[in-house]
Amino acid sequence: MNSSSAAPALVRYRNTIGGKQAEPIDGQWFESLNPYTGQAWAEIPRCGPADADAAVKAAHAAFQSAAWASLKPSARGKLLLKLAELIDRDAERLAAIEVRDNGKLMAEMLGQVRYLSEWYRYFGGLADKIEGAVIPTDKPEMFNYTRHEPLGVVVAITPWNSPLLLLGWKLAPALAAGNTAVIKPSEYTSASTLEFARLFEEAGFPPGVVNTITGFGVDVGDALVTHPLVAKIAFTGGDATGAHVSELAARHIKRVTLELGGKSPNIVFDDADLDNALMGAIAGIFGASGQTCIAGSRLLVQRSVHDQFVDRLVAFARTARMGDPMLATTQVGPITTLPHREKVLGYIDIARGEGAQCALGGGRPSDPALSGGWFVEPTIFVGVDNRMRIAQEEVFGPVLSVIPFDDEADAIRIANDINFGLAAGVWTRNIRRAFLMSERLQAGTVWVNTYRAVSYMSPFGGFKRSGIGRENGQEAIREYLQTKSVWMNLAEGMPNPFVLR
Ligand code: NAD
């Protein structure tokens, strides 16, 4: 298959450690594969604990260096603004690398990378607005104030679905707050992060402020998380890995932010604009081939409109064009990794075994032109009970479970009957219902008459097992700061400590 997304020869990448291009200490490399062709296109350093140690030490040295620690907050902010310019300049190049690694549509990845620069601008702007408070305490002879200080070395661990965007959610506030960083991208999609890390030097950041470590979680994860010089781990990924990272971090008393999975309900009431709801349902599950933590993978449809809505849904989803993710005409790309494609197909089997009815798709596409890629057809299951595994577990693929409901109370009961709580959608024209649902849904984000909206300005994170902490918005910078309370005695002389007052 001739693919516009296939690169002609293997590109060999290196990590950035202490401002230098670093080869893996053990001399090991592994291949990164293109999900559309199944072919290797890049070589990535396979790092081990010794590389992780070097990266953390470089980040720690930079944290203590005058070049970074004494930089005025406004100057720190300007470095982030300069970086944002470089991201805009290189957006197309970086997005194409991401597509080669994760198979998502070029249109989506380019949109993401272009939008990414806003994160660095927003948090660059916040860098010189980290203000403490003067506290009028009950001790009038004392002057008490607070300072918000950086933590030190932050390890950012990212998944494969949106590597640079999800990195920006961590790195922009972490750097704005004055921390330094070691980035550990997914082993499936490391290349864009390695290219991106090279921009920091050009933007004028001191060496060692941003470092990268590639390789497999099992090889370097524990070494990074438990390293005595690491202060915090900001993690996005699956909940099992997140639990492992959190457990290790707790043992070493380190801070964590966890952005984990979801099984988000997208709820369609019979009073909704059903044309819009249809678009929202499709975008919610088939965008990014369902490989998004906020996928609206449980579609709850009010029983009075259920059958007609499902008919329209199936008819529309059937028109989705699978193909080369680099082409503007493609609407659904492949699954990012081969093991994950097998996992998605496995869930389709599980759903059938549980008695759900497959109304669309349900396997690999038969088109021979797609045989080289790791595709799964857009798939819709009806007759799903919320207690089935297909309704409770994150598939992270283009597989939708449709569940009928009777009324508001029933919708809330079903929607909240799950361990996750990342996002939820509500489609209704009734303003009272919109407020009520927004209040009762157990999710970190609720969308009303829309789906998948996110912004650098608005907090994002999970309820329940979907995570701990918030990214984006002003409160995100607090995740990378620690508060110091300073007491100054203004009284003349110290009282005798042996005389109790
Ligand atoms: P994953 O958990 O397999 O991997 C995530 C990262 O953790 C990778 O960089 C991986 O190398 C690393 N890792 C693996 N083992 C590790 C260990 N022992 N110690 C430290 N790091 C380790 O997740 P994934 O398959 O890359 O991504 C998909 C998951 O991410 C889905 O569950 C999805 O919902 C979630 N996700 C969440 C959000 C969000 O913001 N909530 C966004 C995107 C993806």
Side-chain angles (χ1 to χ4, degrees):
M1 171 180 10
N2 275 330
S3 162
S4 57
S5 56
L10 291 192
V11 188
R12 179 166 271 208
Y13 282 95
R14 286 168 186 77
N15 278 295
T16 295
I17 297 180
K20 298 199 169 65
Q21 291 294 290
E23 304 224 338
I25 291 170
D26 287 345
Q28 304 280 317
W29 306 76
F30 65 98
E31 290 180 339
S32 207
L33 308 180
N34 179 333
Y36 178 54
T37 63
Q39 303 299 314
W41 75 275
E43 286 182 312
I44 306 294
R46 178 166 186 169
C47 295
D51 302 278
D53 181 57
V56 173
K57 284 186 174 144
H60 189 252
F63 182 69
Q64 293 188 313
S65 71
W68 182 246
S70 304
L71 198 63
K72 291 195 179 71
S74 305
R76 210 162 64 220
K78 281 182 190 146
L79 290 180
L80 288 162
L81 299 184
K82 176 67 189 166
L83 182 75
E85 273 177 32
L86 300 181
I87 294 171
D88 286 341
R89 183 196 69 189
D90 289 359
E92 227 160 293
R93 185 174 67 85
L94 293 169
I97 294 170
E98 300 223 304
V99 175
R100 226 169 272 147
D101 256 350
N102 73 5
K104 284 167 72 172
L105 303 185
M106 180 62 178
E108 174 167 2
M109 297 324 283
L110 186 55
Q112 269 191 13
V113 179
R114 286 200 174 127
Y115 196 25
L116 169 67
S117 59
E118 298 298 345
W119 265 261
Y120 291 95
R121 286 194 187 92
Y122 179 81
F123 286 102
L126 273 184
D128 59 5
K129 294 162 197 73
I130 300 168
E131 297 170 350
V134 172
I135 300 174
T137 69
D138 57 341
K139 302 177 195 336
E141 73 283 15
M142 300 280 185
F143 182 74
N144 177 244
Y145 67 98
T146 56
R147 294 168 46 82
H148 300 290
E149 300 183 356
L151 305 171
V153 177
V154 172
V155 168
I157 302 178
T158 53
W160 41 258
N161 57 339
S162 296
L164 290 182
L165 186 73
L166 297 173
L167 171 62
W169 294 15
K170 297 157 184 51
L171 201 55
L175 296 179
N179 301 282
T180 58
V182 176
I183 309 162
K184 155 71 185 84
S186 165
E187 51 272 36
Y188 294 109
T189 56
S190 302
S192 62
T193 299
L194 297 183
E195 285 281 352
F196 174 65
R198 303 184 70 162
L199 298 181
F200 284 83
E201 188 185 0
E202 192 181 345
F205 283 82
V209 170
V210 171
N211 309 273
T212 59
I213 280 293
T214 48
F216 296 85
V218 286
D219 293 340
V220 294
D222 291 8
L224 288 171
V225 173
T226 62
H227 198 294
L229 296 178
V230 167
K232 163 158 185 153
I233 300 96
F235 174 88
T236 297
D239 69 340
T241 321
H244 172 77
V245 165
S246 184
E247 213 176 305
L248 268 190
R251 234 181 278 159
H252 294 261
I253 320 291
K254 293 180 193 299
R255 290 169 168 75
V256 289
T257 306
L258 301 175
E259 298 287 1
L260 307 177
K263 191 78 188 177
S264 300
N266 200 359
I267 306 168
V268 180
F269 283 96
D270 60 6
D271 65 15
D273 179 324
L274 294 180
D275 294 341
N276 289 345
L278 185 66
M279 296 303 131
I282 296 275
I285 188 64
F286 299 126
S289 298
Q291 300 170 107
T292 155
C293 52
I294 50 180
S297 48
R298 287 187 298 152
L299 183 69
L300 276 54
V301 184
Q302 195 157 20
R303 215 174 286 278
S304 45
V305 291
H306 176 275
D307 291 355
Q308 54 144 309
F309 193 77
V310 166
D311 286 347
R312 291 184 62 192
L313 186 75
V314 169
F316 191 65
R318 203 186 289 284
T319 66
R321 260 191 313 277
M322 287 176 273
D324 183 345
M326 291 299 278
L327 300 179
T329 48
T330 300
Q331 294 165 330
V332 175
I335 299 296
T336 297
T337 77
L338 188 55
H340 190 57
R341 202 266 303 270
E342 298 312 306
K343 181 177 160 191
V344 174
L345 292 174
Y347 267 112
I348 290 173
D349 287 344
I350 288 170
R352 286 197 169 108
E354 288 178 308
Q357 296 131 40
C358 187
L360 181 73
R364 301 171 57 176
S366 53
D367 181 353
L370 301 175
S371 62
W374 303 322
F375 286 89
V376 172
E377 294 175 303
T379 296
I380 297 176
F381 280 103
V382 294
V384 175
D385 183 283
N386 194 55
R387 286 279 97 211
M388 290 178 180
R389 283 184 66 191
I390 195 64
Q392 289 288 318
E393 297 176 20
E394 187 182 43
V395 176
F396 218 62
V399 181
L400 181 66
S401 295
V402 186
I403 303 169
F405 70 89
D406 293 319
D407 54 19
E408 287 165 2
D410 199 29
I412 290 165
R413 180 187 61 77
I414 296 169
N416 290 342
D417 179 19
I418 191 112
N419 283 330
F420 294 112
L422 194 58
V426 179
W427 299 86
T428 178
R429 285 192 175 101
N430 179 330
I431 187 82
R432 180 202 60 79
R433 177 172 273 171
F435 273 95
L436 177 113
M437 295 298 291
S438 307
E439 197 181 303
R440 303 257 169 100
L441 284 166
Q442 295 164 353
T445 296
V446 176
W447 293 294
V448 177
N449 296 329
T450 184
Y451 205 87
R452 286 186 85 186
V454 291
S455 164
Y456 49 91
M457 294 175 169
S458 182
F460 180 88
F463 280 26
K464 303 184 188 171
R465 280 187 74 97
S466 288
I468 295 174
R470 289 293 175 272
E471 299 192 306
N472 309 340
Q474 290 193 38
E475 68 183 87
I477 202 162
R478 287 295 168 108
E479 305 269 355
Y480 297 93
L481 291 163
Q482 51 195 339
T483 304
K484 180 181 280 173
S485 174
V486 182
W487 293 88
M488 290 195 181
N489 182 12
L490 303 178
E492 293 201 19
M494 283 291 286
N496 181 341
F498 292 118
V499 179
L500 292 180
R501 289 181 301 155

